[in-house]
Amino acid sequence: MKRRALLGGMAAAAGLGLLGCRPEAPSGATGALALRMVCDPWAGYYPAALAEVDGDFAREGLTVSMERSTSTDRMLAEFFAGRFDLMCASLGDMIPIAARDPTLRIVLTSDESAGADMVFRRRDVDPAAVARLRIGTDLNGFGELFMRDYLAHAGLAERDVQWLHVDAGDVAAALDAGQIDVGNCWEPFASAALAAGHVKVFDSAQTPALVTQVAVCQRRLLVEERERMRGFCRAWFAATDRWLADVPAGAARIEAALRLPAGEASLAGIRLHTLDDNRRLLTGTPPGLAPVLQRYAEFHARRGEAPGDLGALFEDAVLP
Amino acid sequence: MKARTRVAIAILAFAALPLILVNGSSYVERRADAARSADLVLAGNADELAALLAATRSRWLESVRADARLPSADALLSTEGPPDPVQLSRFFAAIGSRDTVNINAVGLLGLDGRVVEDSRAVNRGRDESLAPWFLRAMATGQPQMVGPYTAPGDAVPGLFFTAVVRDAAEERRGVLRVRMEPSVLGQVMASALVATPGLSATLLDPEGRVLIGVGTLGERAMAIGNDVARESAEVLTIGDERVAVAPVANAPWRVAVRQPAAAWSAPQGTLKRDWLLETVLLLALLLGASLLLGRRIAAPLSRFSAVAGRMAEGDFSPVPRWSGAEEARQLGTALDGLATQLRETIGSLSRELAQRREAEEALRASREEYLALVEQLPGAVYRCANRDGWPMDYLSPQVESITGYTAEALLAGDAQGYTRLMPAEDVAAIGPVVDEALRAQGRFELRYRIRHRDGRLRWVWELGSVHPSADGGAGRLTGVLFDITEKETANQAMGLLRGGVEDRVGGDFFEALAAGLVRVLDVDTVLIGRFRGAPPSSLCSLALAHRDGRSERIEFGLTGTPSGALVEAGALEVVDDVHRRFPDDVDLQRRGLRAYLGRRLDDRHGRPIGVLAVLNGGAMQPGSAAARLLDLFQARVAAELERVIAAEALQHLAETLENRVAERTRELEAANASLSRAMEQLVQREKLASLGSLVAGVAHELNTPIGNALTVSTALNDIHRQFAGELGSGQLKRSALERFVQENTEATQLIERNLQRAATLISHFKQVAVDQASMRRRTFDVAELVVEVLSTLSPTLRRAPHQVQVDIPPGLCLESYPGPLEQVITNLIENSLVHAFEPGRTGHIRLSAEATDAGIRLRYEDDGRGIPVDVRHRVFDPFFTTRLGQGGSGLGLYLVYNLVHGRLGGSIRLLDGGTTGVCFVMELPAVAPAAGEETDG
């Protein structure tokens, strides 16, 4: 009996020793996945804020920290440097990095600008009367294509123009300084231009689908965290539906969560994309968004830039 | 511990220790190697990253130097006036398209530091003469990199590259400035770390501040000294991180490659696990081997030990085959021989021992059976010598329950203790019986008393036998003793009942019973008493008998006495020191009584009426015969006491009955007179109410014709005044005169008709009033009288939708009293209006009459709700009404009955009219009796 007890004790000690040297489970394998997201100050991306504050992300096992960048160029560079897991930007703004990073993937489309992007002329200038029209826009993104639509619309397509690179946040100042004759920007910068007396002559309601906003990430994230990214989309669209069901209440909650001034989470001129919109735009053969991307590809090709294989942006869809 | 186990442990210890030491040493070396490898990976990454950053920086500087050498740069700076926009755009595109993501702005600065052209329009004209990139470029003439640096007026830092623009003559024309996003450094670092997952990298400035970070830990601040890795890479632990730091050549930066300490040490953990696994497996193998070896060495010893153990437990069977070494087999054979000898010796001893044990067991069982038999007897067993005083030499323990003394106490001394307990007369009485048994050498049966230790006498029944001695004489006596006190007491109690108590009643019964109980129970006093007051407050003795034959009567208050406690308790048994429990009972103490057993006597309704109690100067035993006898006599005494009380009450009732009848008669007469007066007053009040109703009707009925006459006379006066005016003005026309005459005639006729109507009404009312008020006797026509009554009731009848039909032939005359008859008809009609008809329904009333031999038969009917069958016989009773409190007085029909049967000399009855309506029939004589001759109703 004693011998059996001795043997049992030794076996138990050995077992415990083996258990004790078991390799540790990878940290974070079962905890919440922390995602770092960066975006422009654009209301179309704010369903993410609503999903975070209402606990939609938490219920999907996610923690999403949202950083709003005041410079699109810097935002793109930092995302490219791997500082963020997700980036929300306009489709046209992402073409340059899509060309350099073939692993970039669209997670979802958040919205479409339907009037919130505007073209302003300087208050004392008639564009048709200027000999050489100076146009200020972000030449790296959708701005030049958007402004070319404006020129065509205003019958100025054949005019002698000078293209100047001006961030949306600097447009009002450049108009004031007389450095440009027309320029484009969006809220909240558009309010500053209007307040300075400059005149809105065109907006994105006249360019359907051209200014579509998307959330992108590296393909690696979709592969390694497919289910959680599907949960990310689920939470995003749940928040979108809730916001659309009661727009003032959703805007108030977002402004409180992000400490925004009243009215900055306005959906004026913005059409949020629901899950059904996303299924239409991102899936199918070809996806609904493909013609818009094709237009950007052709535009960049004409500028002498190689946009790469933009069709890869649609791969690995994680829509719920 | 077994030898086999000890051997195994020793082998295990000697073999395992060196092996573990050797293996442990190997593990330490491998672990150190793993740590060195991990550090080498970190340091290699840091060196590689530093080299990549240095190369990239050089490449960028070379690029900006080459851009500054572009002819268009010199041309753009040398142009007077606005530059060619196409040339400008191409220049900016040529530089910016190299990295559209990271190149943020491209500018051309004049020699004064002012921005001449910039890809960002807003930068044009800006003064950058004090910016470090401008100053350094101008100072050295070589390409420069500054940053990440936040320029004054900018919100975010930038990475600035500058190169001097020269013309064909190598003269300085300005400065080319390219601003890049600092994140480009992060992109470089991230691309270098892709090959090694889990690493982070941080670019540090000379003071160790974080410039750019990539990876999970990259942007986390780190405490690192300025002197670390200034010349070459170093690996160190900072907090929970393992860090490799390397300097970036030709730049003021250091780059740190960081890894969580847990991840860094993970391979060492794997080594540890492998080592533990190896060690455990090794130990397991050693354990198995040592157990096998120990078993081989220790097996013969185990078998010897097992055989010896079996022998110790009595198993001497030989081992079939000894195995092992020669010495072991010889030792086993010797052990078998020893076992055989022991088996035979032990066998004989065991048999002898078993026989002795059986004999002792039988003897012990016999003794136990005997003692059990003796001690389980309900009485005591004795054995005594046949000498004077019968000295005992054995008494069983039960004698204590009979005598109160232990057997040892009674056997002490001369062993005659038991005999001394007998009263002398009982000893004398049993002597002859015993002598007779001695002579006959047979059995004897005795019944005698003994004085118990508690002082009281107990009855004993003894059955004995004589045991002759060796010489033939009676040597010893043996027998059994039984306590038969209970039976004797019961017998005596039954004798008491049969011997004189049962046939007695009242005081004799109580006296005889108390005296008998004193005698039977051998107690000092027996009390039978009766409670006084309700609730009981005192006790009056009905019998108080003492041991010495005295009897007395007492009465005492119950407060603080055992009898008082009985009122609540019902039964009380205080066998000793009763005076301590009831210290206020002075009489109890004065009489020296210590025990009190009592029962409360209740009547058949459960009310306490008296007490039956036994009192004794000495203590009594709990559960004695006295208590049972009290229970036995309690009901009988209570019944006798209740009978006595009932007899007394009957006697008292007989004495007071006549007075009570007379008193009640006087009360009834007074009540009857009072009731008669009240009824008279109510009848009078009802008559006055009828008169009031009549006057109101008269006033209302006269108001209409007199009011009409007054209105017409007023109109006639106006016509007359108008006519006089026309006449005085001399403009009277014939037509006006004719209209005046016609109107005058019509008005006069109207006035006459209304006044005639009023006169007729007054005549009727006068007749009715006089008749009702005066009870005048006259001859009248019944039909006319009914019409007059209906006239007086017409205001009431008009307010209701009901119809009255009169079928009385004219000429039916009576010589009677019209007033009472009108009163009768009025009451019947009002009764119908109040009680008969449902609201909103049209009812019908019919009055008819016919001549009879003696006078007339007047019938009154309605078709209302009728009168319920169960109350019809009460409708003529005074104050009977179904509308009490709703206007009904209950006297209407009572008055009708009295008037018809009284003044009118007739009769009235209510016919059974079924479920609807009523029908009263009155038989009225043609000539009413004179006053004072009314028929008796």
Side-chain angles (χ1 to χ4, degrees):
Chain A
M1 209 58 173
K2 285 182 179 177
R3 182 170 61 103
R4 286 183 183 173
L6 182 67
L7 286 173
M10 292 176 71
L16 286 174
L18 288 172
L19 284 175
C21 60
R22 211 181 106 215
E24 290 182 8
S27 60
T30 56
L33 175 64
L35 293 175
R36 300 162 299 171
M37 192 180 89
V38 64
C39 63
D40 287 319
W42 174 258
Y45 307 132
Y46 293 166
L50 193 60
E52 179 67 15
V53 73
D54 284 354
D56 297 292
F57 285 143
R59 280 189 285 279
E60 299 291 350
L62 298 168
T63 303
V64 179
S65 62
M66 191 166 88
E67 184 172 311
R68 293 182 305 135
S69 173
T70 54
S71 166
T72 303
D73 291 344
R74 191 171 68 255
M75 178 180 80
L76 292 169
E78 289 183 336
F79 175 72
F80 197 54
R83 188 157 177 247
F84 298 101
D85 303 304
L86 286 155
M87 179 177 68
C88 297
S90 188
L91 194 59
D93 293 340
M94 290 206 311
I95 302 299
I97 63 167
R100 292 178 52 167
D101 183 358
T103 68
L104 204 66
R105 293 290 182 271
I106 294 176
V107 179
L108 55 84
T109 75
S110 62
D111 66 287
E112 172 185 332
S113 176
D117 283 272
M118 307 171 202
V119 178
F120 290 91
R121 68 167 173 80
R122 211 168 66 228
R123 52 183 171 267
D124 52 355
V125 165
D126 176 6
V130 177
R132 174 182 285 177
L133 193 62
R134 292 170 300 171
I135 300 173
T137 188
D138 185 345
L139 295 172
N140 293 330
F142 68 89
E144 184 176 346
L145 196 53
F146 181 55
M147 291 304 283
R148 286 188 186 280
D149 280 358
Y150 157 65
L151 293 175
H153 170 79
L156 304 173
E158 303 304 322
R159 292 289 302 278
D160 184 14
V161 299
Q162 181 181 1
W163 292 94
L164 296 168
H165 184 89
V166 180
D167 273 346
D170 297 329
V171 164
L175 288 169
D176 279 340
Q179 294 170 329
I180 58 175
D181 301 313
V182 292
N184 82 294
C185 61
W186 54 86
E187 290 293 359
F189 313 121
S191 295
L194 281 171
H198 306 301
V199 181
K200 187 180 88 167
V201 293
F202 189 68
D203 65 36
S204 54
Q206 295 160 276
T207 59
L210 181 67
V211 189
T212 295
Q213 280 62 243
V214 295
V216 296
C217 71
Q218 303 287 338
R219 180 174 181 273
R220 176 185 50 78
L221 184 61
L222 296 185
V223 172
E224 293 175 358
E225 299 287 351
R226 173 162 292 277
E227 278 312 309
R228 300 223 216 192
M229 290 308 292
R230 203 185 297 278
F232 174 84
C233 294
R234 208 161 28 236
W236 182 295
F237 294 125
T240 299
D241 292 342
R242 214 162 43 248
W243 192 1
L244 290 174
D246 188 349
V247 173
R253 286 185 62 72
I254 290 166
E255 285 163 0
L258 298 180
R259 296 189 178 89
L260 297 176
E264 208 155 288
S266 167
L267 287 181
I270 296 175
R271 191 176 79 76
L272 292 182
H273 282 172
T274 63
L275 177 59
D276 288 341
D277 293 328
N278 272 264
R279 285 181 178 144
R280 178 172 52 81
L281 292 170
L282 298 183
T283 59
T285 310
L289 201 58
V292 182
L293 267 181
Q294 183 60 30
R295 192 168 171 221
Y296 278 111
E298 290 169 357
F299 168 70
H300 281 273
R302 276 201 302 274
R303 285 207 313 197
E305 298 161 2
D309 179 15
L310 297 182
L313 286 169
F314 294 115
E315 291 176 2
D316 307 305
V318 289
L319 291 178
Chain B
M1 188 183 289
K2 290 183 178 178
R4 186 169 54 184
T5 307
R6 287 184 179 176
V7 170
I9 290 175
I11 293 171
L12 187 64
F14 282 111
L17 193 60
L19 282 172
I20 289 173
L21 287 175
V22 170
N23 197 34
S25 172
S26 168
Y27 162 68
V28 171
E29 287 178 9
R30 280 185 285 167
R31 182 171 179 169
D33 286 345
R36 276 193 295 275
S37 297
D39 281 347
L40 281 174
V41 170
L42 280 179
N45 273 286
D47 283 336
E48 187 180 342
L49 201 50
L52 186 60
L53 284 169
T56 304
R57 175 178 174 275
S58 299
R59 185 162 51 81
W60 285 333
L61 288 172
E62 285 304 315
S63 296
V64 75
R65 182 204 300 273
D67 292 338
R69 301 296 292 182
L70 287 173
S72 52
D74 173 29
L76 286 169
L77 285 171
S78 304
T79 303
E80 295 292 334
D84 176 15
V86 175
Q87 185 183 13
L88 191 62
S89 293
R90 284 178 180 168
F91 177 74
F92 290 147
I95 300 173
S97 62
R98 266 209 317 276
D99 190 346
T100 53
V101 173
N102 294 305
I103 294 179
N104 184 264
V106 178
L108 285 170
L109 283 61
L111 292 174
D112 58 353
R114 190 166 297 278
V115 177
V116 178
E117 291 294 344
D118 198 293
S119 64
R120 288 185 177 269
V122 292
N123 290 338
R124 283 185 194 165
R126 202 160 84 167
D127 183 6
E128 296 182 2
S129 60
L130 297 178
W133 57 82
F134 179 77
L135 294 174
R136 287 187 199 171
M138 291 301 286
T140 63
Q142 295 299 316
Q144 296 291 325
M145 186 193 76
V146 174
Y149 175 82
T150 304
D154 285 353
V156 293
L159 192 61
F160 296 91
F161 293 89
T162 51
V164 174
V165 179
R166 301 173 190 272
D167 60 12
E170 294 297 324
E171 290 294 325
R172 294 184 180 186
R173 306 300 296 184
V175 171
L176 171 66
R177 182 258 295 135
V178 178
R179 182 187 187 281
M180 297 184 77
E181 286 294 339
S183 298
V184 70
L185 297 168
Q187 294 167 20
V188 173
M189 293 194 292
S191 64
L193 292 180
V194 165
T196 314
L199 298 183
S200 303
T202 304
L203 189 65
L204 303 166
D205 70 1
E207 282 72 39
R209 290 189 292 265
V210 174
L211 293 174
I212 296 292
V214 295
T216 312
L217 305 172
E219 295 184 354
R220 203 158 87 173
M222 53 191 300
I224 186 167
N226 290 339
D227 54 341
V228 174
R230 283 297 176 192
E231 300 298 330
S232 60
E234 290 184 31
V235 182
L236 62 161
T237 298
I238 302 176
D240 58 350
E241 299 176 23
R242 191 69 175 168
V243 181
V245 187
V248 179
N250 302 319
W253 301 328
R254 286 175 293 171
V255 66
V257 175
R258 309 163 72 171
Q259 189 175 25
W264 175 81
S265 61
Q268 299 165 50
T270 306
L271 279 175
K272 184 180 178 183
R273 187 185 60 151
D274 293 346
W275 173 76
L276 278 175
L277 191 61
E278 289 171 4
T279 305
V280 168
L281 288 174
L282 197 59
L283 285 174
L285 287 172
L286 281 173
L287 181 64
S290 53
L291 285 175
L292 283 173
L293 202 55
R295 181 188 177 93
R296 186 71 185 163
I297 294 172
L301 291 176
S302 298
R303 281 199 294 275
F304 293 143
S305 173
V307 170
R310 273 187 6 233
M311 288 168 66
E313 293 172 359
D315 182 2
F316 298 98
S317 55
V319 175
R321 189 172 65 85
W322 288 99
S323 60
E326 179 63 25
E327 292 82 358
R329 288 200 298 274
Q330 288 176 355
L331 186 57
T333 306
L335 198 60
D336 282 346
L338 180 62
T340 304
Q341 288 180 1
L342 280 174
R343 187 166 63 240
E344 291 171 354
T345 305
I346 290 172
S348 61
L349 286 174
S350 295
R351 284 192 295 276
E352 186 179 342
L353 187 62
Q355 289 169 357
R356 187 175 296 174
R357 279 180 182 164
E358 284 175 5
E360 287 178 353
E361 184 65 22
L363 184 59
R364 188 181 58 79
S366 175
R367 281 181 182 170
E368 285 180 354
E369 286 174 4
Y370 169 75
L371 287 176
L373 187 63
V374 168
E375 292 178 1
Q376 287 173 7
L377 280 173
V381 175
Y382 73 89
R383 186 174 63 201
C384 66
N386 182 23
R387 295 204 306 268
D388 288 343
W390 295 302
M392 299 281 185
D393 59 7
Y394 175 75
L395 272 171
S396 67
Q398 293 94 316
V399 76
E400 185 175 1
S401 66
I402 299 174
T403 64
Y405 300 97
T406 62
E408 290 77 11
L410 295 174
L411 292 171
D414 59 1
Q416 296 182 15
Y418 183 81
T419 308
R420 289 195 190 95
L421 297 178
M422 299 180 193
E425 61 270 28
D426 288 13
V427 173
I430 65 174
V433 180
V434 176
D435 291 341
E436 179 58 31
L438 288 171
R439 276 192 297 275
Q441 297 286 309
R443 290 187 172 186
F444 56 90
E445 182 177 343
L446 305 174
R447 191 184 302 268
Y448 54 85
R449 293 174 299 169
I450 60 169
R451 180 68 65 182
H452 191 269
R453 191 176 184 182
D454 62 7
R456 303 183 59 198
L457 289 172
R458 297 283 182 94
W459 282 93
V460 175
W461 176 76
E462 178 178 333
L463 180 62
S465 60
V466 177
H467 298 276
S469 61
D471 56 2
R476 291 178 181 275
L477 304 179
T478 60
V480 292
L481 309 169
F482 291 94
D483 185 344
I484 58 169
T485 306
E486 295 286 331
K487 184 181 175 187
E488 280 299 312
T489 304
N491 288 337
Q492 290 184 22
M494 294 307 294
L496 174 66
L497 283 173
R498 284 194 293 270
V501 173
E502 189 59 33
D503 300 333
R504 302 186 186 195
V505 294
D508 289 349
F509 170 81
F510 299 128
E511 292 285 355
L513 180 62
L517 286 175
V518 167
R519 198 167 55 253
V520 170
L521 295 175
D522 188 26
V523 295
D524 291 329
T525 304
V526 170
L527 167 65
I528 301 174
R530 173 181 172 183
F531 289 134
R532 298 285 192 198
S537 59
S538 64
L539 185 79
C540 173
S541 70
L542 299 169
L544 182 63
H546 299 287
R547 188 190 291 273
D548 56 8
R550 285 184 300 113
S551 178
E552 57 179 322
R553 289 296 179 96
I554 60 172
E555 183 166 355
F556 56 88
L558 292 174
T559 305
T561 66
S563 299
L566 264 183
V567 176
E568 288 297 325
L572 183 67
E573 292 183 14
V574 184
V575 296
D576 197 5
D577 290 340
V578 68
H579 57 283
R580 293 186 194 280
R581 184 164 165 186
F582 298 95
D584 296 336
D585 193 339
V586 180
D587 193 46
L588 203 65
Q589 297 186 34
R590 181 176 60 78
R591 293 174 187 269
L593 297 171
R594 292 178 58 189
Y596 181 102
L597 276 64
R599 296 289 184 270
R600 189 182 67 207
L601 305 176
D602 297 339
D603 64 9
R604 70 192 66 185
H605 303 296
R607 291 188 295 261
I609 55 176
V611 165
L612 170 62
V614 170
L615 300 94
N616 196 41
M620 299 174 73
Q621 292 298 314
S624 66
R628 286 191 290 281
L629 275 184
L630 287 180
D631 290 336
L632 183 67
F633 284 106
Q634 181 181 14
R636 173 70 182 90
V637 177
E640 183 62 21
L641 180 54
E642 188 177 6
R643 191 191 64 74
V644 168
I645 292 171
E648 289 177 2
L650 195 62
Q651 178 66 26
H652 179 72
L653 186 65
E655 291 171 355
T656 59
L657 187 58
E658 287 185 10
N659 293 336
R660 290 175 62 190
V661 169
E663 185 180 351
R664 182 54 59 91
T665 303
R666 281 196 299 277
E667 288 173 3
L668 287 174
E669 285 174 352
N672 197 30
S674 175
L675 190 60
S676 298
R677 285 195 298 275
M679 278 183 59
E680 190 64 31
Q681 289 170 0
L682 285 168
V683 169
Q684 203 60 34
R685 196 172 299 160
E686 184 70 12
K687 288 180 178 176
L688 289 174
S690 298
L691 190 56
S693 176
L694 178 64
V695 172
V698 168
H700 181 84
E701 197 64 16
L702 283 176
N703 190 48
T704 304
I706 291 175
N708 290 344
L710 182 60
T711 304
V712 175
S713 71
T714 304
L716 186 58
N717 191 27
D718 292 342
I719 295 169
H720 188 266
R721 194 166 47 246
Q722 185 183 357
F723 179 75
E726 291 176 356
L727 186 61
S729 64
Q731 297 177 352
L732 182 64
K733 296 178 182 177
R734 180 180 178 83
S735 61
L737 178 61
E738 287 174 354
R739 188 178 66 243
F740 173 73
V741 170
Q742 184 185 352
E743 290 175 349
N744 211 352
T745 304
E746 290 174 355
T748 308
Q749 289 173 347
L750 274 172
I751 291 171
E752 185 182 357
R753 279 203 302 276
N754 278 284
L755 289 177
Q756 185 62 43
R757 170 69 181 156
T760 304
L761 287 171
I762 288 170
S763 172
H764 288 169
F765 296 149
K766 183 181 174 186
Q767 187 64 51
V768 171
V770 168
D771 287 347
Q772 289 193 6
S774 66
M775 298 290 183
R776 194 181 60 181
R777 180 187 178 109
R778 63 180 173 90
T779 300
F780 57 90
D781 187 292
V782 174
E784 290 177 3
L785 181 132
V786 170
V787 170
E788 288 169 357
V789 169
L790 293 177
S791 296
T792 62
L793 292 175
S794 59
T796 305
L797 292 171
R798 274 202 299 274
R799 284 198 296 272
H802 314 304
Q803 296 175 0
V804 180
Q805 179 185 354
V806 179
D807 289 333
I808 302 175
L812 285 179
C813 295
L814 295 175
E815 183 185 342
S816 184
Y817 298 94
L821 185 54
E822 289 167 358
Q823 179 88 46
V824 166
I825 295 170
T826 301
N827 281 9
L828 290 174
I829 291 174
E830 287 183 342
N831 231 32
S832 293
L833 295 179
V834 171
H835 297 288
F837 303 119
E838 303 282 351
R841 176 176 169 256
T842 301
H844 298 87
I845 297 171
R846 182 168 181 269
L847 281 157
S848 59
E850 60 183 350
T852 61
D853 293 342
I856 66 166
R857 178 176 297 115
L858 182 58
R859 181 186 291 264
Y860 176 90
E861 299 167 272
D862 72 28
D863 59 352
R865 70 182 78 184
I867 301 171
V869 175
D870 56 336
V871 297
R872 280 185 177 169
H873 64 286
R874 297 180 58 199
V875 295
F876 296 119
D877 290 352
F879 306 115
F880 174 76
T881 177
T882 58
R883 291 287 181 99
L884 189 63
Q886 302 173 37
S889 67
L891 289 172
L893 289 178
Y894 173 66
L895 279 175
V896 166
Y897 185 89
N898 279 349
L899 290 171
V900 171
H901 282 258
R903 183 56 57 92
L904 297 177
S907 64
I908 182 170
R909 66 183 188 280
L910 171 64
L911 294 188
D912 183 2
T915 55
T916 58
V918 297
C919 179
F920 292 99
V921 175
M922 288 170 276
E923 302 288 347
L924 299 174
V927 179
E933 296 179 1
E934 293 94 344
T935 58
D936 188 3

